[in-house]
Amino acid sequence: MRGPKKHLKRLNAPSHWMLDKMGGIFAPRPSSGPHKMTECLPLLLVLRNRLRYALTAREVTKILMDRLVKVDKKVRKDNKFPTGFMDVIELEKTGDRFRMLYDPKGRFVLHRIDA
């Protein structure tokens, strides 16, 4: 096998992603970017599992391809983009802004920002 690994099984995913064991075989492996794999949450999991803006990964991809999501004031179209601590996620149509923070147990929490 040459190069970096392309796939990630659900059981090998970081536990702070809080993925259920029986929800399929694979988890979205974050693409390379500003945060490490163990210290980030892919944009797909943010929109689908945490914010519940979509039910499936295909719906998340459609939302992102319509250029509706900004991470730190920059449009991101990669559904595996790694979002991490203190990143601001902005949704154009709803006008919502969220900041990625940690809760006391070390899991990511999306804190709504007013303004």
Side-chain angles (χ1 to χ4, degrees), residues 13-105:
S15 60
H16 64 83
W17 288 7
M18 294 186 295
L19 296 174
D20 51 339
K21 285 195 294 188
M22 307 304 274
I25 298 171
F26 294 103
R29 183 184 190 88
S31 52
S32 59
H35 301 281
K36 298 177 185 176
M37 187 179 89
T38 56
E39 299 168 3
C40 76
L41 195 63
L43 207 48
L44 177 95
L45 294 180
V46 171
L47 294 174
R48 184 184 66 188
N49 295 14
R50 301 295 170 90
L51 295 177
R52 309 259 190 229
Y53 278 113
L55 294 174
T56 61
R58 181 173 283 180
E59 288 178 10
V60 171
T61 305
K62 289 179 182 177
I63 291 170
L64 294 173
M65 290 303 162
D66 288 340
R67 303 176 66 89
L68 299 175
V69 179
K70 289 182 180 180
V71 178
D72 294 334
K73 296 184 181 178
K74 189 166 182 181
V75 173
R76 299 291 180 185
K77 298 197 307 184
D78 179 14
N79 61 357
K80 296 177 184 176
F81 181 80
T83 59
F85 183 62
M86 294 301 283
D87 281 354
V88 175
I89 299 166
E90 184 177 350
L91 296 135
E92 291 287 320
K93 281 203 173 174
T94 59
D96 292 338
R97 285 193 188 101
F98 300 94
R99 175 161 283 148
M100 295 280 285
L101 298 172
Y102 289 114
D103 71 353
K105 290 189 175 181

